[in-house]
């Protein structure tokens, strides 16, 4: 239960003028309009006011600044002056050098100190109740009518001039089938503060036990419900405590003042596809959902359609599953360290036996992951190590890659070798990578062999990198994506029954190893390009960007320049293919050494595909 102090009804004329803004004693930080809203307060020495204001602006999700007083202009009233308020309920906390040294029902005795202090008004999550009502969901209060529990996370807020603290969040259980409805309702009613910062496993926020909140009382999750987390203004208590100023005051948890500072309404963008949030599952272990805008989803679905053309008439249309590209790119967007593999030695009578499909798509994806500041490594067959080191080195020289990426190998061997490779000290709780991607990588069939499209066994040329994908399925926190165009590629085990039924020689060549996401493309390189483009779309989307940064840091400028430069382009992919040709890497269908992939000419077919993907990405269609 939240206790409120209605400042408007206070008989002290100075306070009444303050809240009604009849005098310029308070600066309203909100440009929106609407009804009165509850707020929590932070009272700091005037010398700290500029830094704290900037801190709030840098962390607007948990600290939505409604207004602030001018130094020395007013004194907070005693709660006893307000009828209907519990006299014995502490409404304020006192902090001395970072330690909470008291809970107070009044600040009257500190009137002299308050003359040198500034009061900040922060919007609070009480407005979320309206979203529940709008979504048609019953209100869930903590047992015993306490106030809603809040949890300290391991997510750092942006640091400003000594103010630094972890993000604090509130949690509410939401029925799985009502997730999107509630998220959209909270966005439309509350604007930026209404966007959740996390949906799913609390341990991903560093919260170990939902039954033990740091503030307030827990609301237990029932079967069929998902924990949903919103930023909490109680983050301000952690900020005050962390700064260790000699004297400060805050609202007590569960207590607010009711101001005439205007309530938030949804920005206009929330009413358009650019602002309407959609919720999509990206992992079951750990449980994790992501959020992005309806417009971003629409664009990524268009990318998926564009790459699904079948120039080789292989029947890949039967392998398609809706939104695999969307979920794969969402998962990659949340990843911190990505391991990419490629290499299909279909030309076993030549040296090198690799084909031109795969490496360009893998390097294009790596280039964009680099631009997003993610860790990127590549793993290839040991016999191809020298070749790929040269390819990467020359890609950097030609400007296809910004910086070199580590090239790794894996030969398998003893039991547990795959887990030892993927995890620090073999500990499945400490994975070195959180996403594996295979792009046109030879995949193991049910009989343990590896086959090209003509049923030729190429096992002698392939290292057991499949083992990493198999073990990753058992390690929480590692997801995987497979990109293929014929069903015999690593990761296509997810669609193997369709491969057996509809792809030539599918009963023999079908890969038996699954990836979490199976991206199907007419040429596998196109899948790598599409993943890079989808990541650009997601990270240029403010709805998704806010969710990624947990609303606790400033946003990036949409479509930052270095992201644009990192996208695949006709010029860069022509350079990449030229590098492969110089190393005598051959086209997959024809076996030719030249500017073609899977028997299709670069100038024309592939260049046209790249341009189509860029047009969708940039909204030029």
């Amino acid at each position: 239960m939240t206790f409120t102090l209605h400042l408007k009804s206070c008989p002290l004329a100075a306070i009444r003028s303050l809240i009604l803004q009849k005098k310029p004693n308070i600066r309203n930080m909100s440009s929106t309009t609407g009804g009165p809203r509850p707020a929590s307060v932070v009272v700091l020495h005037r010398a700290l006011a500029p830094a704290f204001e900037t801190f709030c602006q840098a962390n607007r999700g948990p600290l939505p600044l409604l207004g602030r007083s001018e130094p020395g202009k007013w004194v907070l009233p005693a709660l006893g002056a307000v009828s209907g308020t519990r006299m014995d309920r502490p409404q304020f906390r006192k902090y001395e050098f970072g330690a909470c040294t008291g809970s107070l029902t009044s600040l009257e005795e500190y009137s002299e100190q308050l003359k040198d202090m500034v009061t900040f008004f922060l919007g609070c999550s009480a407005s979320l109740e309206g979203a529940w009502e709008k979504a048609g969901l019953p209100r869930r209060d903590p047992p015993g009518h306490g106030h809603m529990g809040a949890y300290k996370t391991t997510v750092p807020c942006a640091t400003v001039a000594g103010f630094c603290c972890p993000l604090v969040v509130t949690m509410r259980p939401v029925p799985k089938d009502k997730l999107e409805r509630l998220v959209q309702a909270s966005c439309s009613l509350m604007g930026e503060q209404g966007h959740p910062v996390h949906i799913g496993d609390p341990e991903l926020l560093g919260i170990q036990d939902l039954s033990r909140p740091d503030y307030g009382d827990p609301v237990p999750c029932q079967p069929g419900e998902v924990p949903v987390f919103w930023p909490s203004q109680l983050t301000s208590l952690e900020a005050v405590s962390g700064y260790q100023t000699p004297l400060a005051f805050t609202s007590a948890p569960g207590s607010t003042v009711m101001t005439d500072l205007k309530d938030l309404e949804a920005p206009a963008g929330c009413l358009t596809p650019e602002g309407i949030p959609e919720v999509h599952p990206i992992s079951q272990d750990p449980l994790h959902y992501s959020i992005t805008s309806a417009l971003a989803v629409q664009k990524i679905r268009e990318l998926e359609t564009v790459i699904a053309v079948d120039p080789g008439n292989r029947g890949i249309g039967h392998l398609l599953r809706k939104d695999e590209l969307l979920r794969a790119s969402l998962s990659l967007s949340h990843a911190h360290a990505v391991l990419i593999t490629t290499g299909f030695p279909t030309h076993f009578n030549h040296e090198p036996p690799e084909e031109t499909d795969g490496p360009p798509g893998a390097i294009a994806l790596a280039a964009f992951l680099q631009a997003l500041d993610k860790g990127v490594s590549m793993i290839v067959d040991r016999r191809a190590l020298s070749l790929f080191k040269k390819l990467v080195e020359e890609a950097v020289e030609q400007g296809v890659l910004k910086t070199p990426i580590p090239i790794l190998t894996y030969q398998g061997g003893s039991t547990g070798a795959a887990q030892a490779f993927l995890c620090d000290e073999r500990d499945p709780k400490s994975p070195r990578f959180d996403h594996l991607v295979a792009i046109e990588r030879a995949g193991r069939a049910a009989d343990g062999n590896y086959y090209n499209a003509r049923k030729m066994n190429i096992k002698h040329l392939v290292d057991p990198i499949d083992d990493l994908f198999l073990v990753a399925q058992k390690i929480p926190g590692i997801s995987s994506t497979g990109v293929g165009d014929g069903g015999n590629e690593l990761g296509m085990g997810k669609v193997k029954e369709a491969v057996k039924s509809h792809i030539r020689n599918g009963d023999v060549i079908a890969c038996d190893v699954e990836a979490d996401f199976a991206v199907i493309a007419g040429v596998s390189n196109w899948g790598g390009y599409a993943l890079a483009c989808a990541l650009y779309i997601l990270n240029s989307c403010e709805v998704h960007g806010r969710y990624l940064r947990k609303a606790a840091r400033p946003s990036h400028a949409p479509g930052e320049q270095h992201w644009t430069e990192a996208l695949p382009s006709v010029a860069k992919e022509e350079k990449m293919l030229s590098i492969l040709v110089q190393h005598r890497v051959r086209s997959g269908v024809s076996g030719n050494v030249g500017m073609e992939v899977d028997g299709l000419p670069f100038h024309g077919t592939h260049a046209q595909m790249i341009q189509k993907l860029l047009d969708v990405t940039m909204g030029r269609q």
Side-chain angles (χ1 to χ4, degrees):
M1 181 178 296
T2 299
F3 295 88
T4 61
L5 165 62
H6 294 269
L7 290 185
K8 182 179 177 181
S9 65
C10 175
L12 298 179
I15 307 306
R16 185 164 55 248
S17 296
L18 168 73
I19 297 303
L20 293 176
Q21 299 179 346
K22 293 178 180 176
K23 295 181 180 180
N25 289 345
I26 185 169
R27 287 189 285 144
N28 187 357
M29 305 300 177
S30 173
S31 60
T32 57
T33 60
R37 68 175 307 186
S40 62
V41 298
V42 173
V43 187
L44 296 169
H45 192 273
R46 63 196 302 169
L48 301 180
F52 187 73
E53 182 174 331
T54 304
F55 178 71
C56 292
Q57 291 167 346
N59 299 283
R60 293 188 302 172
L63 303 172
L65 189 53
L66 302 180
R68 52 161 281 188
S69 72
E70 293 299 334
K73 294 290 186 179
W74 65 286
V75 179
L76 275 173
L79 290 187
V82 183
S83 61
T85 302
R86 283 263 305 268
M87 301 292 293
D88 60 342
R89 179 78 178 191
Q91 301 295 318
F92 302 99
R93 279 188 170 186
K94 175 185 176 183
Y95 287 85
E96 296 177 284
F97 297 100
C100 179
T101 57
S103 296
L104 311 170
T105 58
S106 169
L107 297 182
E108 272 188 311
E109 62 181 291
Y110 299 99
S111 58
E112 286 302 312
Q113 293 93 325
L114 288 170
K115 290 178 181 178
D116 286 324
M117 303 183 86
V118 173
T119 297
F120 292 87
F121 294 84
L122 303 172
C124 66
S125 56
S127 304
L128 193 56
E129 304 303 335
W132 280 73
E133 182 178 347
K134 183 174 181 178
L137 293 170
R139 176 170 169 165
R140 290 278 302 278
D141 288 324
H145 302 289
H147 66 85
M148 189 67 64
Y151 305 81
K152 287 190 273 189
T153 71
T154 54
V155 177
C157 288
T159 298
V160 175
F163 283 103
C164 60
C165 67
L167 173 70
V168 177
V169 296
T170 58
M171 188 285 291
R172 301 189 182 221
V174 180
K176 185 182 296 185
D177 60 346
K178 303 295 192 304
L179 273 175
E180 192 161 270
R181 185 192 304 177
L182 179 64
V183 170
Q184 291 177 354
S186 63
C187 169
S188 66
L189 286 179
M190 300 171 60
E192 185 169 326
Q193 198 188 3
H195 287 260
V197 296
H198 179 66
I199 302 175
D201 190 340
E203 289 196 22
L204 294 175
L205 294 177
I207 301 170
Q208 301 300 317
D209 188 352
L210 285 177
S211 69
R212 301 178 63 184
D214 296 284
Y215 303 93
D217 302 302
V219 178
C221 280
Q222 304 296 334
E225 293 181 330
V226 176
V228 183
F229 300 83
W230 279 267
S232 171
Q233 81 282 358
L234 294 178
T235 302
S236 62
L237 276 61
E238 296 297 317
V240 170
S241 176
Y243 195 87
Q244 300 186 4
T245 182
L247 180 66
F249 303 96
T250 69
S251 298
S255 296
T256 61
V257 296
M258 188 62 70
T259 76
D260 275 358
L261 299 173
K262 300 304 183 180
D263 199 358
L264 292 175
E265 286 183 345
C270 276
L271 306 178
T272 67
E274 290 91 339
I276 296 174
E278 290 193 12
V279 179
H280 294 273
I282 58 173
S283 172
Q284 289 299 315
D285 187 14
L287 182 65
H288 195 192
Y289 291 77
S290 189
I291 296 177
T292 191
S293 71
L295 180 61
V297 171
Q298 175 187 324
K299 285 185 174 182
I300 294 172
R301 284 174 174 162
E302 192 170 350
L303 293 177
E304 188 171 61
T305 300
V306 168
I307 64 172
V309 297
D310 189 1
N313 296 314
R314 302 182 186 183
I316 66 167
H318 298 286
L319 312 186
L320 295 173
R321 291 192 178 188
K322 184 181 178 182
D323 287 344
E324 291 289 283
L325 178 64
L326 173 63
R327 284 189 283 268
S329 56
L330 283 168
S331 181
L332 277 168
S333 188
H334 286 271
H336 299 286
V338 180
L339 180 66
I340 302 174
T341 185
T342 189
F344 206 122
T346 189
H347 301 297
F348 49 88
N349 289 326
H350 296 277
E351 181 59 38
E354 266 67 34
E355 60 167 310
T356 52
D357 192 16
I363 288 176
L365 176 59
F368 200 81
L369 291 169
Q370 282 184 337
L372 295 177
D373 296 322
K374 298 183 186 296
V376 189
S377 302
M378 184 175 289
I379 184 166
V380 300
D381 296 309
R382 185 173 183 82
R383 54 155 192 82
L385 180 61
S386 176
L387 170 65
F388 275 91
K389 283 185 175 180
K390 291 175 183 176
L391 295 179
V392 167
E393 179 181 338
E394 293 176 30
V396 174
E397 291 174 358
Q398 294 289 326
V400 179
L401 273 174
K402 184 178 180 181
T403 58
I405 55 176
I407 308 294
L408 311 175
T409 61
Y410 172 80
Q411 283 77 55
S414 62
T415 302
Q419 182 166 307
F421 182 93
L422 292 173
C423 303
D424 290 330
E425 298 181 354
R426 299 176 180 260
D427 183 1
K429 294 183 178 180
S430 301
R432 297 169 59 197
F433 311 98
D434 40 21
H435 203 113
L436 312 181
V437 183
I439 299 178
E440 189 67 14
R441 166 74 194 176
R444 184 184 299 156
D447 64 2
N449 292 316
Y450 297 80
Y451 297 96
N452 65 15
R454 297 179 295 277
K455 294 197 299 186
M456 302 299 296
N457 188 353
I458 54 174
K459 183 177 181 179
H460 61 291
L461 296 172
V462 181
D463 290 341
I465 292 173
D466 305 64
D467 291 350
L468 303 180
F469 282 67
L470 289 169
V471 170
Q473 295 171 8
K474 302 174 184 178
I475 300 176
I478 304 182
S479 298
S480 59
T481 295
V483 179
D485 58 19
N488 55 346
E489 301 91 359
L490 178 54
M492 295 296 108
K494 187 172 184 180
V495 293
K496 65 182 177 182
E497 294 308 319
V499 173
K500 291 177 181 179
S501 299
H502 299 287
I503 301 297
R504 182 185 178 190
N505 299 323
D507 56 330
V508 174
I509 70 172
C511 178
D512 198 50
V513 181
E514 293 189 21
D516 293 313
F517 313 106
V519 175
I520 309 300
V523 175
S524 293
N525 280 343
W526 302 350
Y529 304 153
L531 282 170
C533 289
L535 285 168
Y536 178 94
I537 292 168
L538 290 173
N539 285 270
S540 300
C541 167
E542 178 56 27
V543 171
H544 183 67
R546 185 185 301 116
Y547 188 75
L548 280 180
R549 65 181 184 272
K550 311 303 181 191
R553 291 177 294 280
S555 63
H556 292 286
E560 287 193 350
Q561 183 63 31
H562 68 284
W563 295 348
T564 305
E565 293 172 352
L567 281 169
S569 68
V570 173
K572 286 199 299 183
E573 298 317 311
E574 183 178 13
K575 289 179 181 177
M576 191 65 236
L577 187 54
S578 297
I579 293 170
L580 289 166
V581 170
Q582 291 169 14
H583 289 278
R584 306 291 296 173
V585 179
R586 298 169 182 270
S587 173
V589 172
S590 66
N592 291 335
V593 177
M595 295 296 288
E596 65 177 59
V597 180
D598 279 355
L600 304 169
F602 178 82
H603 296 290
T605 303
H606 298 290
Q608 186 178 44
M609 173 58 67
I610 294 165
Q611 194 57 55
K612 281 184 180 179
L613 293 175
L614 291 174
D615 288 343
V616 172
T617 302
M618 299 302 183
R620 292 195 288 252
Q621 289 189 333

